[in-house]
Amino acid sequence: MSRAIPIAVFASGSGSNFQAIAEAIEQQQLHAKIELVVTDKPDAYVIKRAESKGIPVLAVRPKDFSSKEEYEEAILQALREKKVEWLILAGYMRLVGHTLLQGFASRIVNIHPSLLPSFTGKDAIGQAMDHGVKITGVTVHYVDEGMDTGPIIMQKAVDVIDNNREETEAAIHAVEHDLYVAALKDILK
Ligand code: GRF
């Protein structure tokens, strides 16, 4: 059997996508190992999810460093110590800088809750609803220096449920969890 690909998951919030990836690995749908969870928010719920699975967490606040380069250098060092090969962004609410982009060229992926190139950046679901679109969706893409601009790996459409943000969001999250696992199966070979 081939080796499990060592990955790190980056998250700033709840971590439901982290959870979906971790469970897919446990159920042997995905042949990878989460060596580290990286978060920029020391109170993010993803930390509890990781700890309950015994996965190490690196919580680092950018404001504790004198520059973005130093912040990312600290992360890079931890990733190297763990021999991580791929970075999986799952609700990491920061633009990745050149230190990590160079360290992991073409090996950083992200999930975004819209059909890119529509509705980049924050609150993509709110943007779609404010715009009145009837169909939105989910995109998994490679990360480049732009905001949600890298090459697209997989997309899936989701119907907007009129005037119901909560239900639309729930439908998008459910699709995210399946789509991320499907995309990672494809690329982590
Ligand atoms: C997801 O909607 C993801 O697409 C976006 O941030 C959200 C993270 O959710 N980038 P979670 O923390 O994985 O629950």
Side-chain angles (χ1 to χ4, degrees):
M1 192 152 143
S2 59
R3 79 199 167 96
I5 309 282
I7 64 175
V9 177
F10 282 51
S12 305
S14 155
S16 69
N17 281 284
F18 155 77
Q19 184 93 17
I21 294 165
E23 285 170 7
I25 292 171
E26 283 163 11
Q27 291 156 12
Q28 298 180 359
Q29 292 170 36
L30 199 56
H31 201 39
K33 182 168 181 224
I34 304 175
E35 296 287 356
L36 191 65
V37 167
V38 177
T39 185
D40 57 332
K41 296 266 189 295
D43 55 355
Y45 186 63
V46 69
I47 295 174
K48 292 205 168 52
R49 294 189 196 258
E51 284 172 353
S52 79
K53 293 192 173 296
I55 296 173
V57 175
L58 176 70
V60 273
R61 290 187 307 185
K63 67 174 187 192
D64 292 338
F65 296 83
S66 58
S67 65
K68 184 162 186 157
E69 285 72 27
E70 281 193 19
Y71 163 71
E72 289 198 341
E73 270 300 335
I75 296 173
L76 197 57
Q77 197 181 324
L79 296 169
R80 288 196 170 131
E81 276 165 20
K82 303 259 177 209
K83 301 195 172 10
V84 166
E85 293 179 13
W86 283 82
L87 309 188
I88 314 303
L89 311 190
Y92 179 64
M93 302 304 284
R94 254 165 221 288
L95 260 190
V96 174
H98 59 82
T99 305
L100 285 174
L101 283 169
Q102 278 168 13
F104 286 85
S106 304
R107 283 178 292 127
I108 311 179
V109 293
N110 182 43
I111 189 158
H112 184 75
S114 79
L115 289 178
L116 290 173
S118 292
F119 309 125
T120 57
K122 285 192 178 146
D123 193 21
I125 301 172
Q127 292 182 53
M129 294 193 76
D130 289 348
H131 205 90
V133 298
K134 302 301 172 200
I135 296 170
T136 183
V138 176
T139 303
V140 178
H141 65 96
Y142 287 103
V143 171
D144 63 11
E145 60 289 337
M147 172 84 79
D148 305 318
T149 50
I152 289 170
I153 299 166
M154 255 186 210
Q155 288 187 304
K156 193 157 183 193
V158 177
D159 286 337
V160 172
I161 300 158
D162 268 344
N163 298 321
N164 196 330
R165 160 102 196 203
E166 217 171 287
E167 275 186 38
T168 304
E169 207 168 306
I172 287 177
H173 285 315
V175 168
E176 283 189 329
H177 301 158
D178 290 345
L179 195 75
Y180 220 174
V181 170
L184 292 176
K185 253 189 222 169
D186 235 40
I187 61 174
L188 297 181
K189 282 182 182 152

